[in-house]
Amino acid sequence: KINSKIVAVGVVDILPNCLSSVYCFYDPSYKKLSLGKFVALNEISWVRSASKKLFSLKFYYLGYYIHTCPKMTYKGEYRPSELLCPETHQFIPLQRCVELLDKNEFTRLNRDFGGNSLNKRNLDELSREMKLYVRRQGMVVTLDQLTVATQLRIRPLVGDILQYLSSELV
């Protein structure tokens, strides 16, 4: 409040182990005050205070993050800041996700493929043994049977596929 006038509102979900920020809105005439950040800091302060009595309350979630939405980029200014990988459901530091999200907004954020990850030699061996179906000619070939130009174009894709499936293959 400023002079008894409500100038910003934060909408939250209080869950057993966290406070999750859902939405914030404020009077645009006070934009220079960065009220969205002020609300987030107030929510963080509330979590710190409440966690002294509610021991299960440990986390503050800034809510949804849309990498291509300029209004949400401020969320990356808080540290530590993590995003939930949509495939592995593990939290990944935002700094590790930015480059991936710059390339593709729908991507696996967790690039750790576990202890079974393949090394370059294994990937090369598997890619030589891998059979590819060429739809236009209706034939099955190995990677080595393709032209050098085609190999150069698809080898990185084959490597990504094999790396992704590494836990199944090793």
Side-chain angles (χ1 to χ4, degrees):
K1 287 183 175 183
I2 297 178
N3 296 329
S4 300
K5 178 183 177 188
I6 295 176
V7 295
V9 174
V11 179
V12 300
D13 278 337
I14 301 173
L15 302 167
N17 68 341
C18 71
L19 180 132
S20 179
S21 185
V22 176
Y23 195 74
C24 172
F25 56 94
Y26 56 86
D27 184 331
S29 60
Y30 293 92
K31 185 176 182 171
K32 288 185 179 183
L33 296 178
S34 298
L35 292 172
K37 290 180 182 181
F38 178 77
V39 167
L41 291 172
N42 257 347
E43 292 168 353
I44 291 168
S45 175
W46 184 88
V47 170
R48 283 185 170 173
S49 174
S51 67
K52 292 174 183 168
K53 294 179 183 169
L54 302 169
F55 299 115
S56 65
L57 185 66
K58 297 177 183 174
F59 304 103
Y60 172 68
Y61 295 119
L62 278 165
Y64 286 109
Y65 174 82
I66 301 171
H67 186 65
T68 55
C69 179
K71 288 184 176 182
M72 292 192 174
T73 57
Y74 76 92
K75 294 180 181 190
E77 296 172 15
Y78 294 88
R79 300 283 190 271
S81 197
E82 299 175 320
L83 297 180
L84 184 66
C85 178
E87 292 185 23
T88 64
H89 303 286
Q90 294 180 340
F91 283 97
I92 309 299
L94 178 64
Q95 299 86 313
R96 283 181 34 199
C97 301
V98 169
E99 186 177 332
L100 296 169
L101 292 169
D102 283 341
K103 293 177 185 174
N104 183 352
E105 64 184 296
F106 303 105
T107 188
R108 178 187 176 116
L109 301 173
N110 183 8
R111 295 298 190 196
D112 178 10
F113 293 92
N116 292 330
S117 63
L118 299 170
N119 60 36
K120 183 173 176 9
R121 196 185 96 242
N122 291 342
L123 284 171
D124 287 343
E125 287 173 19
L126 284 170
S127 67
R128 277 193 294 280
E129 296 172 18
M130 184 181 213
K131 304 286 188 245
L132 304 170
Y133 175 70
V134 182
R135 188 168 68 178
R136 286 187 182 160
Q137 284 86 22
M139 52 194 255
V140 176
V141 297
T142 63
L143 195 57
D144 291 336
Q145 292 173 303
L146 299 172
T147 65
V148 173
T150 302
Q151 286 182 39
L152 291 173
R153 281 198 329 261
I154 70 166
R155 193 173 288 275
L157 298 170
V158 170
D160 286 348
I161 291 167
L162 291 173
Q163 188 75 337
Y164 183 77
L165 297 173
S166 66
S167 61
E168 307 291 324
L169 298 171
V170 176

